[in-house]
Amino acid sequence: TQCLANKFSVAGPKKTFTTACSASAQAIGHANRAIQRGEIDLAIVGGADSIVGEILMLGFCLLGVMSQHNDSPQQAGKPFDRKRDGFVIGEGAAILILESKSHAKARAARPFATICGYGESENAFRITDLPEDGAGAIAAMRSALQDSRLTGCDIGAINTHGTGTEPNDRIEAQAIAQVIGNEATVTANKANFGHLIAAAGAIECATSVMMIKDCLVPPIANFEQSDCTPLNYRKTTAPLDSSAHVLSNSFGFGGTNASLVIGPCDEADR
């Protein structure tokens, strides 16, 4: 963050979130609220992580969350599929520019999408597991919908946390069904990018923005058949209504849950 501040002469408030897999989604949510409150006009926000090393990889293996499909790594990640057995670690980064409508207009910027709502919660449970009732995930999603003044009917697709571990996918699917309904259209990105941990929320938010921009829902890579709560799990690319919103979930190690609602811009802003 200091390098970015120096490079672009950013002198406003600076915050770093260390809540594992939900960190960059939290950063986006809090930056957006600061813009809504009029505290700032623009934020450089996102996440980066570099965790492919012997000690960290050993830790994830001991937790039992890594896929064992080592002979076919491109097919290893299988979010929500009945043959899932964990995730593949990835490394990367994603940065978004958030700004107020007036600031964007002043510099003739053409926004791709709007952050409409944000919700977060704490599981108060075990370090790496969701509680079986999915209460924390449900609370984060409902809070994001309330913040955006929308209902489940306004959500055209959910970009899930979708780790590809047995309990997390199962519990997230149950939570989505309770908040959005069993007709919810579901996709997941971690089979494409790997699990980027602190950067996961940012790259999945960026993917959700492109879903809004292109009016498309990408498929879940390697998905064939689910044993989770019945939802509309995408095996192929699907159209997304131009007025629909996307809900992006990030549920972190340590129990912090973050959900973002991303929607289309007004026609006048495009």
Side-chain angles (χ1 to χ4, degrees):
T1 55
Q2 188 63 52
C3 291
L4 285 171
N6 293 345
K7 182 176 179 61
F8 296 106
S9 300
V10 178
K14 179 179 69 175
K15 293 183 180 180
T16 300
F17 292 82
T18 56
T19 48
C21 326
S22 59
S24 51
Q26 274 196 292
I28 292 166
H30 282 259
N32 193 61
R33 285 183 174 173
I35 291 172
Q36 290 173 334
R37 291 192 298 263
E39 297 172 3
I40 57 175
D41 291 318
L42 181 145
I44 303 171
V45 61
D49 216 338
S50 179
I51 51 177
V52 178
E54 291 183 0
I55 299 300
L56 289 173
M57 294 290 282
L58 175 61
F60 284 118
C61 289
L62 290 173
L63 287 172
V65 296
M66 299 283 283
S67 172
Q68 300 298 305
H69 290 286
N70 300 313
D71 295 333
S72 54
Q74 291 183 339
Q75 286 75 47
K78 295 179 171 65
F80 300 102
D81 189 82
R82 60 185 178 85
K83 294 181 180 179
R84 68 193 181 281
D85 73 334
F87 55 74
V88 176
I89 287 293
E91 292 187 330
I95 297 293
L96 298 90
I97 302 298
L98 304 187
E99 59 188 315
S100 65
K101 183 181 292 188
S102 60
H103 191 277
K105 284 186 175 181
R107 67 183 190 93
R110 295 173 61 84
F112 292 145
T114 302
I115 306 294
C116 302
Y118 172 66
E120 65 183 27
S121 68
E122 172 60 39
N123 289 332
F125 194 61
R126 291 194 291 267
I127 292 294
T128 59
D129 298 330
L130 293 173
E132 281 293 326
D133 61 4
I138 290 169
M141 288 188 281
R142 285 181 172 163
S143 179
L145 288 174
Q146 183 177 15
D147 187 45
S148 63
R149 299 181 181 179
L150 298 172
T151 69
C153 296
D154 298 302
I155 302 300
I158 298 96
N159 199 3
T160 61
H161 185 54
T163 60
T165 60
E166 190 283 324
N168 280 23
D169 285 2
R170 173 172 50 80
I171 294 167
E172 183 177 10
Q174 293 171 1
I176 289 170
Q178 286 196 47
V179 177
I180 308 297
N182 288 96
E183 301 302 316
T185 295
V186 167
T187 189
N189 301 154
K190 288 182 175 66
N192 303 93
F193 304 127
H195 195 338
L196 305 188
I197 310 298
I203 198 165
E204 289 163 12
C205 178
T207 302
S208 301
V209 166
M210 297 310 294
M211 289 165 60
I212 293 290
K213 177 179 177 291
D214 296 336
C215 294
L216 292 173
V217 181
I220 304 172
N222 305 321
F223 179 85
E224 294 180 1
Q225 183 179 0
S226 183
D227 59 355
C228 299
T229 299
L231 299 168
N232 181 17
Y233 302 101
R234 291 309 311 168
K235 296 178 69 173
T236 58
T237 301
L240 179 69
D241 190 275
S242 61
S243 63
H245 295 68
V246 173
L247 179 67
S248 184
N249 286 335
S250 298
F251 304 146
F253 289 133
T256 303
N257 307 296
S259 295
L260 293 160
V261 176
I262 300 132
C265 300
D266 295 335
E267 286 299 322
D269 298 328
R270 292 182 181 273

